[in-house]
Amino acid sequence: MTTEEKLENFYNHSIESAKSEAERMIEEYQAALDRLFAEHQKQKQEQTAEELAAEKENLKRENNKALSAEQLQIKRSLSAKSMEIEKKIFDQVEEKLRAFRDTPEYISYLCGKIKKDIEFAGGSEIQFYLDASDEGIREKVEKETGVSIQISEEKLAGGILATIEEKNILIDDSFRSLLAEERESFMLEGGHVHE
């Protein structure tokens, strides 16, 4: 082989070796870039998942807050409506009681209460009181029951009040007290559960 051939052979071998080395380096560099890219993708996916979870949690909190505010508003509205209905009911009851006081059944009711209270007193002295507005029927009730009845200084709104002093007992069957007890224990129920 001539020197020229040797040189060309050396040149070709050097070029092939350099190409081979360059390809190996490019492959290593590409593999390193692929690894970096995969790690970057994984980090971004994790970061995105964390941000998404945080945003979901934030939206859930905001939704719960809005729901709470709406529930509170609904409860207030229901409470106001319940109070309005309760007032109407008791206004109607008071009106019916006023109408009842103008009937003969009212006198029978008072006489029945007086007889029951006398029986309860068991021979002890008992004093009865009517509302001032019942002054017009006092004599009739006294006649039917045979007892003396006083006019109360307090407003009773109807019904009767009895005291047994020696036993320190007050029997309050006034409409005012009965209505107050009902108002206190009154509970308006309704809705699809109670239909």
Side-chain angles (χ1 to χ4, degrees), residues 90-117:
F90 279 97
D91 286 349
Q92 289 174 1
V93 168
E94 287 177 13
E95 184 58 40
K96 288 185 185 237
L97 284 174
R98 279 191 289 278
F100 173 65
R101 290 174 68 191
D102 292 333
T103 66
E105 287 82 11
Y106 178 58
I107 293 172
S108 298
Y109 169 81
L110 292 174
C111 292
K113 287 290 182 184
I114 290 171
K115 288 174 185 170
K116 188 176 175 186
D117 293 346

Side-chain angles (χ1 to χ4, degrees), residues 79-98 179 183 186 188:
S79 179
K81 194 64 173 171
S82 289
M83 287 172 65
E84 180 185 326
I85 291 170
E86 183 177 331
K87 184 183 179 327
K88 281 183 180 178
I89 288 171
F90 279 97
D91 286 349
Q92 289 174 1
V93 168
E94 287 177 13
E95 184 58 40
K96 288 185 185 237
L97 284 174
R98 279 191 289 278
L179 272 171
R183 272 195 175 100
F186 183 78
L188 185 64

Side-chain angles (χ1 to χ4, degrees), residues 153-185:
E153 293 177 12
E154 298 177 48
K155 289 270 287 166
L156 303 179
I160 196 150
L161 202 66
T163 58
I164 307 171
E165 299 230 0
E166 65 185 64
K167 293 182 180 178
N168 204 21
I169 295 176
L170 169 69
I171 304 169
D172 191 351
D173 284 321
S174 67
F175 290 172
R176 177 200 64 204
S177 294
L178 294 173
L179 272 171
E181 285 174 22
E182 284 302 316
R183 272 195 175 100
E184 198 170 303
S185 65

Side-chain angles (χ1 to χ4, degrees), residues 2-15:
T2 64
T3 311
E4 221 172 83
E5 287 175 339
K6 283 183 184 178
L7 273 175
E8 194 173 317
N9 194 13
F10 177 73
Y11 174 77
N12 286 339
H13 182 63
S14 293
I15 292 290

